[in-house]
Amino acid sequence: MTSERLHLAREVARRASETALVYFERPQVRHWSKDDGSLVTEADLATEEHVRRVLAELAPGEEVMGEEYGGSASDSGHWIVDPVDGTENFRRGVPVWGVLVAWRSGGQVMDAAVCAPALGRSWSASRGRGAHDGEGRRLRVSAVARRSEASFCYGGAHEYTPEGMAALGAFASGFRTAWGIGNFYGHMLVAEGAADGALSVGTSVWDVAAPSLIVAEAGGSWCDLEGRHDLMSGALLTSNGHMGTTLLDGVRPACGHPGGVR
């Protein structure tokens, strides 16, 4: 049975993805740098505006916290939105980007939906009810327990200091495969069982709220670089559960923890 909030999250992500896809298919999209140096495009703004209009229609009066327009976060419940996760990919025409929508109440993410329209893929989860792909298939993490047989996704080299990248590369070399797959997608691969661990650094709550729940409901685990369930700390490490300790022990020094990540 699908919860009402999950139905809403899926519908909002689906509708907003239509707006983002229109911009993605244009030859050029206007973009500029924010004060923190990160990239934003006209598509990010238009997509979050669409999210807010849809939520105002389907869930009037409920609070929204978004990457581009901010917002409040009530313990009684609020929506968390990343209109385009993977903006650098989006700007360059790489199809690995997505719209992330989550509902958090009482300090916990309860429902989440991720839509990657350029890939033709979507994923969603509701707390205690499992995670599924867009075809309704139940998501299950892998059972791989040996590093030499595991696959690890770690994001981009630009996210680390040179020393941190060297340490991360040394750690990653012990896996059967290790890929610079960043943003939400590495975590979705963990949820699907196609990868066994994924790391995102330099994150905000809208980057990690939806992926953390989807991985957990697929039977996996997630934490920050302190091993805590903290969505606000700036990092997300997901795993199939079997690789969690190995990954945390390996990525902490690779990230120069504390203070090694740019």
Side-chain angles (χ1 to χ4, degrees), residues 206-246:
W206 39 78
D207 301 305
V208 299
S212 64
L213 180 65
I214 292 172
V215 170
E217 286 298 321
S221 64
W222 69 273
C223 64
D224 66 5
L225 294 178
E226 294 283 0
R228 304 170 304 189
H229 284 177
D230 185 353
L231 298 175
M232 309 295 287
S233 68
L236 175 66
L237 179 65
T238 60
S239 83
N240 62 6
H242 303 286
M243 299 296 300
T245 300
T246 297

Side-chain angles (χ1 to χ4, degrees), residues 11-261:
E11 181 67 7
V12 169
R14 182 190 67 79
R15 289 204 211 174
S17 293
E18 294 172 355
T19 293
L21 197 56
V22 168
Y23 283 90
F24 183 69
E25 292 172 347
R26 292 180 179 177
Q28 291 186 324
V29 178
R30 290 190 300 115
H31 63 276
W32 54 93
S33 293
K34 301 181 190 178
D35 292 341
D36 64 2
S38 63
L39 190 73
V40 63
T41 73
E42 57 183 327
D44 294 79
L45 301 181
T47 302
E48 185 167 325
E49 288 167 359
H50 192 177
V51 167
R52 290 172 180 272
R53 288 196 301 271
V54 174
L55 284 172
E57 170 195 342
L58 300 179
E62 293 185 343
E63 295 179 348
V64 182
M65 177 193 294
E67 178 175 9
E68 308 307 336
Y69 292 106
S72 53
S74 169
D75 281 346
S76 62
H78 58 276
W79 295 96
I80 303 173
V81 177
D82 189 343
V84 177
D85 188 65
T87 299
E88 292 283 356
N89 282 346
F90 187 99
R91 179 178 70 92
R92 296 299 302 272
V94 178
V96 184
W97 55 271
V99 178
L100 282 54
V101 179
W103 170 256
R104 183 167 65 176
S105 180
Q108 291 189 315
V109 180
M110 304 301 294
D111 301 277
V114 172
C115 187
L119 295 175
R121 303 292 310 281
S122 63
W123 307 263
S124 62
S126 186
R127 184 171 292 274
R129 301 186 183 189
H132 298 81
D133 67 10
E135 303 301 317
R137 292 183 289 259
R138 183 76 178 256
L139 299 178
R140 300 283 188 188
V141 297
S142 74
V144 175
R146 296 177 59 187
R147 182 176 165 196
S148 61
E149 293 300 321
S151 181
F152 174 48
C153 305
Y154 55 83
H158 64 283
E159 297 173 327
Y160 303 88
T161 64
E163 297 79 10
M165 191 65 240
L168 184 62
F171 173 64
S173 68
F175 289 81
R176 183 172 181 85
T177 55
W179 312 99
I181 300 173
N183 308 115
F184 71 96
Y185 193 49
H187 304 295
M188 295 303 95
L189 293 177
V190 172
E192 292 182 341
D196 310 298
L199 173 66
S200 294
V201 296
T203 60
S204 297
V205 64
W206 39 78
D207 301 305
V208 299
S212 64
L213 180 65
I214 292 172
V215 170
E217 286 298 321
S221 64
W222 69 273
C223 64
D224 66 5
L225 294 178
E226 294 283 0
R228 304 170 304 189
H229 284 177
D230 185 353
L231 298 175
M232 309 295 287
S233 68
L236 175 66
L237 179 65
T238 60
S239 83
N240 62 6
H242 303 286
M243 299 296 300
T245 300
T246 297
L247 285 163
L248 185 59
D249 289 345
V251 302
R252 280 169 56 90
C255 290
H257 187 70
V261 177

